[in-house]
Structure formats: structure tokens, C-alpha cells
Amino acid sequence: MNFGTWPRLLVVDVEGNGASPPDLVEVATIPITAGRPVPQSARSTLIRPPRPITAFATRIHHITNHDVDSAPCWESIARAVQANLDGVWIAAHNAHVDYTVLRRHLPDWQPDGVIDTLRLARATLPDAPGHSLDALLAHTAICLSGISGQRHRAGFDAHATALLLVNLAAHYPTWDVLTAAAIPPGMPGHATPDHEEQTLW
């Protein structure tokens, strides 16, 4: 894999407040450059949601309502988040979740493409004992010691997913072959046939 052929790509992760549909309480991004995550260029922010964080959500990501008391509201940071995400590919684990939430909060935004590391892992490692992020990190023995923070926080999970993406990418000869396996149908960047076979019947 020639990582020099990759477009600008940000691995993203979001955490929500547990409402339906969810309000954002944390957004993180980390770029991959030359085949490596770049933590120095990572961005992560807490967000004060319009509705309280549920106890169930707090049990997962450990973000409390007290933690976001002084955090900015979404409206005050939406423009900066969109500027960071404009004109890039994004990657995430089970990407339709992150993509859907971000699109609902940024209706004028559309990434150049969406890579789903869950879809990619199922294609690359079909015999893995599981395809959750935790199962894949254990199966690939990816070292997480250099990541600050904790699992289920957006910054940690984005960095861990970036390492997983680089690991999986090593199985593919080119960017085009990788994306053919990694982009869910209907998502930005998914190749569509130039024409469909026509029949008289």
C-alpha cells in the first residue's frame, strides 16, 4: 500500500447523550498522514447538549452532565467542526452511526468519502473471533499504550480506529482496492456502475 496516494483523511468518533436521536457530547478527529495517525493534529471537544446525558450513556463513555456544564453548545462550534471536516474523507468504526449523527448536526456538510473499518475488517479478517473495535484491537495485537485517555472517549477511540485502519490497509495493494472493500453502499465515495445492464425483458 502506497499511503502517499491517500487523500486527506480524518478518523472520527462521536459520543452522544443517549437521547433518540442523540445530541453530541463529544467529537474527535485525528488525521492519517503517510500511513500514521498524527496525534499532534488531533482535535477533540466536549459539547454541552440541549438535553441531559442519560445515566446509560454515562456508563458507557463516563461523560457526566457536570463534565459538560462549561462546555460550548453545538451552535457555537458547529462552523469550526464543519471547517475541519470539509473536503476530506472520513473513517470510523461502524461509520454509518458517526456519519448519520454528524450529517444531522451539519446538514450542509458532505465528506468526499466514508470508510467503515467495521466493513473493512469483516472483508479483511473474516475469521476473526469478533469485529467489534475491542475484539479487533485484541485480535490484531495493536499497541494502544501511546494513546492518551480511555476507551469509549471520542479521542481515544478515534486514535485506536486510526491504528486499526492502517493495520487493515496493509492487506490491500492500492487505495482503490481498499475503498472498494471499505465503503458501504450508498455512502459518499462508493463507486457506482457507469451503466446498468439493460434487457428487453
Side-chain angles (χ1 to χ4, degrees):
M1 171 63 72
N2 178 5
F3 288 100
T5 64
W6 285 32
R8 183 165 176 252
L9 182 144
L10 294 175
V11 181
V12 304
D13 192 76
V14 302
E15 302 298 339
N17 65 341
S20 183
D23 302 307
L24 290 169
V25 298
E26 191 173 34
V27 176
T29 64
I30 184 169
I32 293 177
T33 302
R36 293 179 181 274
V38 186
Q40 300 89 338
S41 299
R43 298 184 183 185
S44 181
T45 183
L46 287 171
I47 302 157
R48 186 176 72 255
R51 294 172 289 179
I53 302 171
T54 66
F56 175 78
T58 293
R59 283 197 295 272
I60 295 173
H61 51 50
H62 304 294
I63 301 171
T64 67
N65 288 295
H66 177 72
D67 292 331
V68 298
D69 274 346
S70 59
C73 65
W74 174 250
E75 289 74 16
S76 68
I77 65 167
R79 183 174 297 180
V81 172
Q82 181 162 340
N84 184 41
L85 293 172
D86 274 342
V88 304
W89 282 67
I90 66 166
H93 199 69
N94 202 9
H96 78 91
V97 173
D98 303 79
Y99 173 73
T100 299
V101 173
L102 286 169
R103 280 281 290 160
R104 187 167 61 82
H105 283 76
L106 298 170
D108 296 327
W109 166 74
Q110 183 82 291
D112 287 357
V114 177
I115 287 178
D116 183 5
T117 52
L118 173 59
R119 180 180 179 87
L120 182 62
R122 285 172 171 162
T124 312
L125 305 172
D127 297 326
H131 293 96
S132 69
L133 184 56
D134 285 324
L136 289 164
L137 292 171
H139 179 70
T140 56
I142 290 173
C143 178
L144 305 177
S145 61
I147 305 179
S148 60
Q150 62 187 24
R151 178 76 172 90
H152 296 298
R153 289 296 300 268
F156 185 100
D157 287 2
H159 195 159
T161 301
L163 292 172
L164 176 63
L165 175 55
V166 170
N167 180 283
L168 296 173
H171 295 262
Y172 293 85
T174 66
W175 168 259
D176 288 343
V177 177
L178 169 72
T179 55
I183 304 173
M187 287 282 191
H190 187 264
T192 55
D194 292 334
H195 61 277
E196 294 184 0
E197 183 178 353
Q198 302 293 320
T199 76
L200 297 175
W201 313 107

